[in-house]
Amino acid sequence: MIAFSPDVLRITLADGTTFSFRQGFAIGRHSTCGICIRDGVVSPRHADVVWENGSWRIQDLQSANGVFLNGQRIQPAVLARRGAFNWGQVDRPCFSTSKRR
């Protein structure tokens, strides 16, 4: 069996805060989320990001305001090497992936 390690996923928020992930995480308003965004348009658990079939994927968790990837509402979507996603009126976090080191 061949096992693939996830690429590193980096997410930078509008305020400059940067996160690096090597495993799946949640995005939402709840404090247990890997990225916690305290904004009324963000659901307590808004989206999941997972490493699946050799790529990072984002999945909206039936939130009221949805998830947008590079300006298009998605359900679910593969995260390319670079891009931006947002929900409601929240500033667009940027993301990039790179090979695990």
Side-chain angles (χ1 to χ4, degrees), residues 17 23 31 47-48 50-51 59 78-79 90:
T17 303
Q23 61 185 16
S31 62
D48 279 338
V50 297
W51 177 258
Q59 167 94 30
V78 172
L79 299 179
V90 176

Side-chain angles (χ1 to χ4, degrees), residues 5-99:
S5 297
D7 292 349
V8 175
L9 176 63
R10 289 184 180 82
I11 297 179
T12 303
L13 302 181
D15 67 3
T17 303
T18 299
F19 300 87
S20 293
F21 295 96
R22 289 186 170 89
Q23 61 185 16
F25 61 96
I27 299 171
R29 206 172 56 229
H30 197 274
S31 62
T32 60
C33 291
I35 296 180
C36 179
I37 299 174
R38 300 204 184 272
D39 188 294
V41 301
V42 177
S43 298
R45 189 171 169 127
H46 200 98
D48 279 338
V49 178
V50 297
W51 177 258
E52 182 178 274
N53 298 323
S55 60
W56 286 102
R57 298 173 183 271
I58 187 167
Q59 167 94 30
D60 183 9
L61 298 176
Q62 299 179 342
S63 64
N65 294 309
V67 174
F68 294 79
L69 178 62
N70 297 323
Q72 301 283 349
R73 190 170 185 153
I74 57 94
Q75 179 58 22
V78 172
L79 299 179
R81 292 283 176 210
R82 296 190 180 282
F85 54 92
N86 68 309
W87 29 83
Q89 300 302 312
V90 176
D91 288 331
R92 298 171 58 152
C94 294
F95 67 85
S96 64
T97 62
S98 61
K99 294 295 179 192

